[in-house]
Amino acid sequence: MTTTNTLAQPWSPAQKVGFRFALLFFILFILCDPNGAVPLLSNYEGVYMAPVQKLVVWMGTHVFHLTKPITAFTNGSGDTTYNWIVLLLIFIKSVVGAAIWSLIDTKPKSYDRLYYWLLVVLRFYVGFTMLGYGGYKVIKLQFPAPGPARLLESYGDSSPMGLAWTFMGYSKAYNYFTGIAELTCGILLLFRRTTLFGAVIAFTVIANIVAINYCFDVPVKIVSSALLLMVIFILLKDLNRIIKFFFLNQTAEPAVLTPRRFQKRWKNISLTVTKYLLIAYTVFSIGGNVISNMKYGDDAKHPVLYGLFNTQTFIQGKDTLPPLTTDTTRWKRISINSFGSVRITTMNDSTRNYSFKADSVKKQIIIGSFKDTTRKYTFAYTLSKDSILNMTGKGPNGDMSATLKRFDEKKFLLMRRGFHLINESPFNK
């Protein structure tokens, strides 16, 4: 293989030690969290991470003396105790590995070849990740529009993450904007000649993601921070050129974009074919997932009885309950949401969430407890043309019947305000 020095001079000891640590840290992180960006690797992650899980559980009990054993592993949160301990293990292994490597490998003047290939790995990992993120934003799956329950929830009662999700979910155009930015930097990072431009865009995009995750307590802090570190590492290659161009008003020399080549032609052809097959496979895989999940986005068909219903009359047993604000039994309203859930709000404004399924043929509603799947409540229902919902059956507190009137959520100011190019005065309510 021919050599094209990324650094004109031999590397300093600090550069070599720092590179050894970075290579070990990034590779271990990618192995422990493929994030869907490494084709096929996610299929085997559970196999080779099983011993790590056992080690982390043991460390939680015997090293960190946690009051409760670690039972939450990889789930919707990427910042579990398990994830943080795995990150600590990666860091320790990288430090120890870099130290041992430095002691036994003192001859090389640089790691130019390894540096080149590490950049390739990071470019593809970040690039594929951004393609996935961007694709789901374009179909507005990550940040759905605020549903009936969310529209009724006050700012003070929402979580910081819920507030961020509502902010992002409100605007379809903003989702397109952020999604296209992520898709753009993802594509640019996959090719040598556009890497710098892609990394600059990726730095801006991912820095904003990191800021939202930390400032709104979104549990993807570890992965987003790692992505940002990877982009910074990619940009370090062109740091001198960036400083000259943006800060010193000096001419920046052209970047060295010569790819690594083998001496035998068939190897170079194989490498090129493998590269484009990898890109094609990943792009089609991500694209297939995005297309198959479009049915869950904002344009998805709402379930039967979707919407917000305010209670008009409520009968518990044989008693018609008046709308007293201290009543913890009488329903004030129900919010039937997407993805099979309903939120019941009682007169004292306490809420309870249940699973929800409506059969429009049998005219039947089944409400169930999320914690105890054996607890289910069945109601017969009718829905009139003027959106009056009648429910009769056995609820959590026994036999009951209720008459409810649908409320059009488009009447909420948030949903009807819309876009105004001209504003004679600020409308900030």
Side-chain angles (χ1 to χ4, degrees):
M1 182 183 290
T2 59
T3 59
T4 302
N5 288 330
T6 304
L7 299 175
Q9 301 297 326
W11 292 17
S12 67
Q15 286 175 314
K16 288 189 282 188
V17 172
F19 171 77
R20 292 162 183 153
F21 170 81
L23 184 144
L24 292 172
F25 181 85
F26 288 137
I27 296 300
L28 286 172
F29 186 89
I30 291 171
L31 288 172
C32 292
D33 196 340
N35 202 27
V38 185
L40 304 179
L41 184 59
S42 297
N43 298 336
Y44 302 98
E45 179 187 2
V47 177
Y48 64 79
M49 287 298 291
V52 177
Q53 288 187 2
K54 294 181 180 179
L55 175 61
V56 169
V57 172
W58 181 88
M59 290 180 64
T61 302
H62 298 91
V63 177
F64 297 102
H65 303 291
L66 301 178
T67 55
K68 295 181 179 180
I70 296 173
T71 56
F73 302 104
T74 302
N75 55 37
S77 170
D79 298 336
T80 63
T81 302
Y82 165 77
N83 294 122
W84 283 106
I85 295 179
V86 169
L87 182 64
L88 176 63
L89 287 174
I90 291 172
F91 179 81
I92 293 173
K93 289 179 180 179
S94 301
V95 170
V96 174
I100 296 173
W101 190 354
S102 299
L103 290 174
I104 64 177
D105 193 9
T106 59
K107 294 182 180 179
K109 294 183 178 180
S110 72
Y111 290 102
D112 186 62
R113 295 180 182 180
L114 275 177
Y115 181 42
Y116 174 87
W117 290 112
L118 177 59
L119 288 177
V120 171
V121 171
L122 297 184
R123 287 197 293 113
F124 276 60
Y125 181 80
V126 177
F128 289 154
T129 299
M130 300 313 293
L131 288 178
Y133 283 3
Y136 285 114
K137 283 187 177 66
V138 167
I139 65 169
K140 214 166 178 295
L141 182 64
Q142 184 178 7
F143 302 108
R150 181 68 74 184
L151 289 170
L152 282 170
E153 193 172 51
S154 68
Y155 289 117
D157 288 330
S158 66
S159 66
M161 179 177 174
L163 182 61
W165 249 240
T166 304
F167 161 74
M168 292 291 296
Y170 164 75
S171 174
K172 184 174 289 187
Y174 191 64
N175 274 261
Y176 289 158
F177 173 78
T178 54
I180 291 171
E182 291 175 354
L183 289 172
T184 300
C185 66
I187 293 171
L188 293 174
L189 283 170
L190 300 181
F191 304 95
R192 278 192 327 278
R193 295 184 181 277
T194 56
T195 293
L196 179 57
F197 188 31
V200 170
I201 298 175
F203 176 82
T204 305
V205 170
I206 298 174
N208 180 61
I209 294 172
V210 171
I212 291 176
N213 290 346
Y214 278 87
C215 299
F216 288 86
D217 195 31
V218 180
V220 198
K221 302 176 187 70
I222 294 175
V223 172
S224 61
S225 299
L227 290 170
L228 186 60
L229 286 175
M230 291 177 186
V231 172
I232 292 173
F233 188 83
I234 293 171
L235 286 170
L236 287 176
K237 176 178 177 293
D238 295 285
L239 182 60
N240 290 332
R241 298 174 62 239
I242 292 172
I243 292 174
K244 286 181 180 179
F245 184 81
F246 286 104
F247 300 102
L248 301 180
N249 195 31
Q250 296 177 358
T251 301
E253 64 278 3
V256 178
L257 298 176
T258 306
R260 292 295 173 184
R261 292 293 183 229
F262 294 96
Q263 294 179 352
K264 295 184 178 180
R265 185 169 177 269
W266 71 269
K267 291 184 178 181
N268 294 320
I269 295 175
S270 299
L271 182 63
T272 302
V273 171
T274 301
K275 169 187 173 180
Y276 285 102
L277 284 176
L278 177 63
I279 293 175
Y281 173 84
T282 306
V283 169
F284 279 108
S285 177
I286 293 173
N289 288 333
V290 169
I291 292 172
S292 65
N293 283 289
M294 287 180 68
K295 59 184 178 181
Y296 300 113
D298 278 1
D299 296 328
K301 184 179 180 181
H302 289 313
V304 176
L305 303 179
Y306 172 88
L308 170 65
F309 293 84
N310 291 319
T311 305
Q312 293 182 324
T313 61
F314 190 90
I315 301 174
Q316 184 72 56
K318 296 181 179 180
D319 298 325
T320 300
L321 303 184
L324 302 177
T325 57
T326 56
D327 197 330
T328 60
T329 301
R330 188 186 191 276
W331 294 359
K332 184 176 183 179
R333 68 175 67 92
I334 63 172
S335 307
I336 301 171
N337 306 297
S338 298
F339 312 117
S341 68
V342 61
R343 175 173 292 179
I344 298 175
T345 304
T346 55
M347 290 303 300
N348 68 340
D349 287 327
S350 64
T351 60
R352 303 166 193 165
N353 295 315
Y354 296 92
S355 63
F356 179 88
K357 184 178 180 181
D359 189 328
S360 58
V361 177
K362 295 181 179 179
K363 297 296 181 181
Q364 190 176 75
I365 294 172
I366 299 176
I367 295 175
S369 169
F370 284 113
K371 294 182 179 180
D372 184 358
T373 56
T374 62
R375 292 175 57 191
K376 294 183 179 180
Y377 312 103
T378 303
F379 299 87
Y381 82 88
T382 60
L383 182 66
S384 65
K385 293 182 179 179
D386 55 350
S387 299
I388 299 294
L389 174 64
N390 290 289
M391 297 175 56
T392 303
K394 180 168 287 189
N397 296 302
D399 293 335
M400 56 154 284
S401 63
T403 302
L404 307 101
K405 171 71 174 178
R406 194 185 193 288
F407 177 82
D408 186 0
E409 54 265 24
K410 292 181 180 178
K411 292 182 179 180
F412 283 102
L413 176 61
L414 179 66
M415 306 307 291
R416 61 180 168 84
R417 170 62 180 171
F419 171 77
H420 294 75
L421 186 63
I422 299 175
N423 292 275
E424 303 300 346
S425 61
F427 188 80
N428 184 4
K429 185 177 179 181

